[in-house]
Amino acid sequence: MINSILKISKEKSPHLVVVGLGLSGVDFLIGWQERFKDLNVTIFDKSRTSPFLIEALFLIRNKKLFPISGEESCYQMENFTLAYNFSKINSIDQEKNVLYYKGGAINYDYLLIVSEFELKVRLKEVGNLTNSAFPKNSYGPDFQNFNAKKVIIEGHGLATMAMALKYLDYGYYPSIVCKHSRLAIGELPTEEAWLFSKYFKRKGVELYFETRIEKPIDKEEDDLIRLQITNGMDVLAGKVVVVDDEKVGPTFLNLKKFYSDADLKTNAGHCVLGYSNVYAVGDKITVVTKEEAESFTYLNGRDKFKIEPCTENFPSKQYVFKDLSWQTYGKISPEWGNDTQNFYWEHPVGDISFRLHYRKDDFSIKGIACLGLRFNKTYMASALQANSKAHDFINSMEEGLEQNYYSSEACSLIKKSFGIEFKKVIKTYRSSLLKRIVKKLFS
């Protein structure tokens, strides 16, 4: 696998350079699709696994990469052209919009820093890292050995889950070693995370919770990798991938030019404070208030690279893991506040669920999350913008629910379950409201 250079046409498309990997970076790219007719993207990744990982991440967002004929390491994703560069980054000149790497330099119009995790990869074929980082469709005879085709992935998030299923597609036997008690903490609610775990086990992915890779990785006979995890198990594998979300790569930005600490700060549109054409996404980012963002002086001028805000009326995401799809509409968070209520229903078959997040004070809906069910986006946009009441939405939900094998049955069961629970919510709310009124009268 070699570094790829995008061929720039006479009608030059904007060029976005991405430093780092992660699902937040993929979500950022998908969010930019409507903003450009065409966009050239170059991804820098020293782990050399970016084609495999990015393809896996795009797949769970229901997007597919297509190799460009005659162009190694170049892919097309609808109106985006993606290329990969595995060179070490030396520096970035934010004034000239140039990234310097070992062996050359590259100009950019926009720069995206993905501050999500660092990827560490150990492979059986240590002597040929380039060719072994991205799985091929055919292998030598020794790859028929079970242990040689076993992949250990240490991690817990959606990126880890995406990689496990992608390795499964290539005929490997993946196992996830997770330091937490469940998958995707901070990304999926608890109930949905366990449904995904059951699904992964059925597909043949082994899961080890509250464990980590304990001992250093050693080479064994036949170049296999031996490692020990904290439950005492010794494992032989052909590949080991560590998704280290406690450590992220360097940003290469001169942040102290604008503020004293080294943390990345952005406005609500992910633009890094001080840089008009530099963006950052990920868990290690601080989003500041609108007033604080407007108080900054921006390099190259605030409006030189101005992009019009996204026209999407409400946030909506779809995550597809083979034949299991999780769809969100509006504001859905794994953590629930004291001022909100959430209703959760799960079908006995296990692959169908429905979650409704609504406000306690007026019962208006904030967001919907569905596993195995989908709503019409226009219908959901209208319901969210109108601040529909939770009980009204449930009563008319069949109008916006897209039909599938389970939709009619699920709709009836959801209504019945919600009706029982909502009566309890109303009773509790009225009791609490009466106490507040009495307290106010006699205070």
Side-chain angles (χ1 to χ4, degrees):
M1 188 179 293
I2 62 172
N3 296 330
S4 55
I5 304 297
L6 292 170
K7 294 180 179 178
I8 306 300
S9 63
K10 290 182 179 179
E11 294 183 6
K12 182 178 176 294
S13 300
H15 186 203
L16 169 68
V17 168
V18 180
V19 177
L21 296 170
L23 186 58
S24 58
V26 168
D27 284 341
F28 181 91
L29 290 176
I30 292 173
W32 268 31
Q33 277 195 281
E34 295 181 3
R35 302 183 177 190
F36 296 95
K37 181 181 178 181
D38 297 290
L39 184 69
N40 294 318
V41 181
T42 300
I43 298 172
F44 277 81
D45 165 43
K46 64 180 181 181
S47 75
R48 295 178 176 267
T49 59
S50 48
F52 173 75
L53 176 58
I54 294 296
E55 183 180 8
L57 294 177
F58 270 116
L59 276 176
I60 69 168
R61 292 290 277 113
N62 207 26
K63 300 285 185 178
K64 191 170 183 179
L65 299 182
F66 294 93
I68 297 176
S69 178
E71 300 287 339
E72 186 166 359
S73 299
C74 282
Y75 297 82
Q76 194 73 35
M77 196 281 292
E78 297 174 4
N79 58 328
F80 284 7
T81 303
L82 285 79
Y84 301 95
N85 193 308
F86 311 108
S87 304
K88 178 183 177 182
I89 297 174
N90 294 326
S91 64
I92 298 176
D93 188 328
Q94 292 93 42
E95 295 189 18
K96 295 181 179 179
N97 298 325
V98 179
L99 181 148
Y100 298 94
Y101 61 90
K102 186 177 180 181
I106 189 169
N107 294 87
Y108 63 83
D109 296 302
Y110 306 102
L111 177 68
L112 173 64
I113 306 295
V114 183
S115 181
E116 193 165 320
F117 56 73
E118 182 176 69
L119 202 63
K120 303 171 186 174
V121 183
R122 181 71 181 270
L123 306 157
K124 174 181 177 293
E125 312 93 323
V126 177
N128 194 357
L129 181 66
T130 301
N131 291 333
S132 60
F134 186 58
K136 305 294 183 182
N137 290 323
S138 59
Y139 297 90
D142 69 327
F143 268 92
Q144 304 308 313
N145 180 277
F146 174 79
N147 287 327
K149 299 193 76 173
K150 193 169 182 64
V151 181
I152 306 298
I153 308 172
E154 184 181 66
H156 76 93
L158 292 174
T160 297
M161 296 163 64
M163 279 192 285
L165 288 185
K166 193 63 183 172
Y167 274 119
L168 205 62
D169 284 344
Y170 279 95
Y172 285 86
Y173 307 106
S175 298
I176 295 177
V177 176
C178 177
K179 64 183 178 182
H180 300 300
S181 58
R182 68 170 179 88
L183 295 173
I185 287 180
E187 296 174 294
L188 292 175
T190 301
E191 292 85 355
E192 285 91 331
W194 282 114
L195 290 181
F196 274 108
S197 295
K198 293 175 184 177
Y199 176 80
F200 272 54
K201 287 180 179 179
R202 292 202 307 269
K203 287 294 182 181
V205 179
E206 292 184 334
L207 301 173
Y208 301 98
F209 293 110
E210 297 182 329
T211 57
R212 302 192 75 155
I213 296 176
E214 191 172 51
K215 288 190 174 180
I217 300 169
D218 299 316
K219 283 183 64 180
E220 278 287 321
E221 295 181 6
D222 301 322
D223 286 334
L224 291 175
I225 302 167
R226 177 180 291 278
L227 57 111
Q228 188 178 83
I229 56 180
T230 48
N231 64 3
M233 280 187 60
D234 278 340
V235 181
L236 284 173
K239 298 179 184 289
V240 177
V241 179
V242 177
V243 183
D244 188 352
D245 59 1
E246 295 177 357
K247 181 180 179 182
V248 297
T251 65
F252 301 98
L253 300 179
N254 181 18
L255 299 176
K256 291 186 177 180
K257 183 182 180 72
F258 298 100
Y259 35 90
S260 58
D261 54 53
D263 294 333
L264 279 168
K265 295 181 179 181
T266 74
N267 61 20
H270 308 294
C271 185
V272 176
L273 301 188
Y275 300 96
S276 55
N277 62 330
V278 180
Y279 296 80
V281 292
D283 299 330
K284 315 299 181 183
I285 307 296
T286 301
V287 180
V288 304
T289 63
K290 182 179 180 180
E291 291 73 22
E292 186 177 352
E294 290 180 346
S295 68
F296 270 76
T297 301
Y298 283 76
L299 197 65
N300 295 324
R302 184 194 299 270
D303 298 324
K304 183 173 181 179
F305 297 95
K306 186 177 180 181
I307 298 176
E308 292 302 319
C310 182
T311 57
E312 187 176 36
N313 295 319
F314 72 103
S316 174
K317 289 183 180 179
Q318 182 184 22
Y319 299 97
V320 180
F321 293 87
K322 290 187 176 293
D323 50 344
L324 196 62
S325 174
W326 191 59
Q327 183 82 42
T328 67
Y329 309 90
K331 295 180 180 179
I332 286 289
S333 169
E335 306 298 331
W336 311 105
N338 294 327
D339 60 340
T340 58
Q341 184 79 19
N342 82 93
F343 162 75
Y344 177 77
W345 170 88
E346 182 181 309
H347 195 282
V349 300
D351 290 347
I352 308 292
S353 72
F354 174 85
R355 184 179 293 276
L356 172 63
H357 189 197
Y358 62 95
R359 299 172 181 85
K360 284 184 178 179
D361 57 353
D362 62 357
F363 309 126
S364 60
I365 62 174
K366 288 175 66 68
I368 303 288
C370 306
L371 189 65
L373 299 171
R374 290 188 66 181
F375 284 88
N376 177 278
K377 287 189 70 174
T378 303
Y379 177 85
M380 284 305 309
S382 298
L384 288 165
Q385 290 167 6
N387 290 320
S388 296
K389 307 303 181 185
H391 49 285
D392 292 333
F393 178 85
I394 293 293
N395 288 336
S396 61
M397 63 182 293
E398 66 270 11
E399 296 176 15
L401 188 63
E402 296 183 358
Q403 297 299 306
N404 64 18
Y405 182 79
Y406 289 106
S407 57
S408 296
E409 180 190 9
C411 187
S412 176
L413 293 173
I414 290 169
K415 286 185 176 183
K416 183 177 180 180
S417 180
F418 179 81
I420 296 171
E421 182 175 307
F422 194 61
K423 287 180 181 179
K424 297 177 183 178
V425 173
I426 290 290
K427 185 176 180 180
T428 303
Y429 175 77
R430 286 174 177 171
S431 175
S432 175
L433 179 62
L434 181 61
K435 288 179 181 179
R436 291 198 302 270
I437 293 173
V438 172
K439 184 177 180 180
K440 188 174 181 179
L441 287 173
F442 291 96
S443 61

